[in-house]
Amino acid sequence: MILVTGATGFIGSALVSALVKSATLTRACCRAGSGQVSDTLEVVQGIDLLADTKLDTLLSGISVVIHTAARVHVMHDASADPQAAYRAMNTVATLRLAAQAASQGVKRFIFLSSIKVNGEETRPGKPFTADDTPNPQDAYSQSKLEAELGLRQIAEQTGMEVVIVRAPLVYGPGVKANFAAMMKWVAKEWPLPLGRIRSNRRSMVGIDNLIDLLLVCTQHPAAANHTFLVSDDEDLSTAALITRLATSMRRSAKLLPVPEWLLLAGAKLLGQDTVIQRLLGSLQVDITKTKMLLDWSPPVDVNEGLRRAVAG
């Protein structure tokens, strides 16, 4: 049986749906709903990974844990102590769950991490790889790295297999935050001052491709005790992404050729430096290791992934 944490989240809910479709025995750790939903799906409610110190019931009979629950990255964190809040959920709770999973005889623990562990931006022609020296730049990515390091120690001490998957931006039906905002802009055919942003490259991963890789990692022998990067294996400039989004919506992409220096100056005046850097900069990942070691390739191309995201 597979345990999925964060089962009501954007990624967790899609993962549970895929497991149910494949008739895999699954236990979903959710905030609401409980009981035997179907012959293959059991929903467990009321488990607080932050507070509960004894997780025997949750882990009983589990062979693989896919841990997607997390305190996600937010642009403007209002928490009094963001670092402590991220560390509590993403590091302490993760390692407590993993340690108890190992003691319960769980064979494999799959941890959904973030490409932000590698860093915030890549240089032209220098994509991140799974074996790069980590370079986290904020409290969120630092908490994810600390969890990764702790999981490797647990694996060494207990023999439980650990698989780490670092994902870039994930999009698909129900996506929220910045990608949802971009979809709204394109759908309304608003003029966007991003027509000259054609030389940068950013990696993304469609939800179906990420789920497919996570499922491969549940059983592939070569996945044990490795870190993998994931993407759609096609990187787009900001202008190209907007153009393809518009095509998938049957809309017209209205891109204004505003110089980058003017965008940077305007963003600085508005206090949106971080947002504009994401639109102007590059963040590419090299998934060669993932493809070679796991004999895996993304089953859904970018155009189809964007079409599915738009269809919702």
Side-chain angles (χ1 to χ4, degrees):
M1 179 179 279
I2 294 177
L3 170 66
V4 177
T5 68
T8 56
F10 170 53
I11 295 171
S13 59
L15 177 58
V16 170
S17 294
L19 288 166
V20 169
K21 187 175 180 180
S22 67
T24 302
L25 290 176
T26 305
R27 181 175 294 152
C29 183
C30 302
R31 294 179 180 177
S34 61
Q36 193 72 32
V37 176
S38 70
D39 290 342
T40 61
L41 176 62
E42 175 190 352
V43 175
V44 178
Q45 179 189 12
I47 299 293
D48 186 346
L49 296 177
L50 272 172
D52 293 344
T53 58
K54 196 169 180 61
L55 303 170
D56 294 5
T57 302
L58 183 66
L59 293 164
S60 177
I62 296 297
S63 59
V64 176
V65 173
I66 307 179
H67 184 46
T68 73
R71 187 175 195 268
V72 299
H73 177 258
V74 293
M75 294 296 294
H76 303 289
D77 199 324
S79 171
D81 189 347
Q83 186 167 18
Y86 282 122
R87 183 171 285 138
M89 183 63 202
N90 297 345
T91 307
V92 176
T94 295
L95 298 182
R96 180 192 300 133
L97 174 65
Q100 293 194 41
S103 69
Q104 288 285 316
V106 170
K107 179 182 179 182
R108 181 170 289 187
F109 191 100
I110 301 170
F111 178 58
L112 183 59
S113 189
S114 169
I115 195 59
K116 286 170 67 66
V117 169
N118 286 69
E120 294 289 336
E121 191 170 340
T122 54
R123 293 173 294 167
K126 296 289 185 179
F128 288 137
T129 73
D131 300 317
D132 287 342
T133 300
N135 185 29
Q137 299 288 305
D138 59 16
Y140 167 75
S141 52
Q142 183 63 41
S143 71
K144 285 289 193 177
L145 174 58
E146 290 171 0
E148 290 186 13
L149 295 174
L151 287 170
R152 292 192 185 102
Q153 287 184 342
I154 291 172
E156 291 175 1
Q157 294 166 0
T158 67
M160 181 177 70
E161 298 171 353
V162 165
V163 183
I164 296 166
V165 177
R166 294 180 188 159
L169 185 151
V170 184
Y171 67 94
V175 67
K176 298 179 181 178
N178 292 337
F179 200 90
M182 184 180 293
M183 289 172 62
K184 180 180 178 181
W185 301 336
V186 174
K188 292 180 178 294
E189 295 188 329
W190 289 352
L192 299 173
L194 302 170
R196 289 192 179 181
I197 317 305
R198 299 183 181 277
S199 60
N200 71 328
R201 292 292 183 272
R202 298 195 73 87
S203 299
M204 308 181 300
V205 63
I207 186 71
D208 293 317
N209 288 335
L210 176 58
I211 298 307
D212 189 75
L213 178 62
L214 291 174
L215 294 181
V216 168
C217 287
T218 63
Q219 55 188 341
H220 200 297
N225 302 316
H226 279 283
T227 297
F228 298 103
L229 305 188
V230 61
S231 78
D232 290 330
D233 209 19
E234 181 184 0
D235 304 332
L236 303 177
S237 69
T238 299
L241 171 59
I242 292 170
T243 300
R244 293 215 199 173
L245 264 176
T247 299
S248 68
M249 295 177 177
R250 298 184 180 179
R251 295 286 192 273
S252 175
K254 292 183 169 56
L255 293 169
L256 306 179
V258 177
E260 288 190 20
W261 68 265
L262 188 55
L263 290 173
L264 288 167
K268 188 172 184 179
L269 285 173
L270 296 171
Q272 298 295 317
D273 305 54
T274 304
V275 174
I276 201 63
Q277 285 294 348
R278 291 174 185 274
L279 292 171
L280 300 181
S282 293
L283 196 161
Q284 292 180 273
V285 305
D286 182 344
I287 65 169
T288 300
K289 174 183 175 181
T290 308
K291 294 192 294 183
M292 296 294 291
L293 203 58
L294 301 180
D295 191 25
W296 180 84
S297 60
V300 179
D301 65 26
V302 174
N303 291 336
E304 177 61 16
L306 292 175
R307 189 196 67 76
R308 293 181 185 184
V310 167

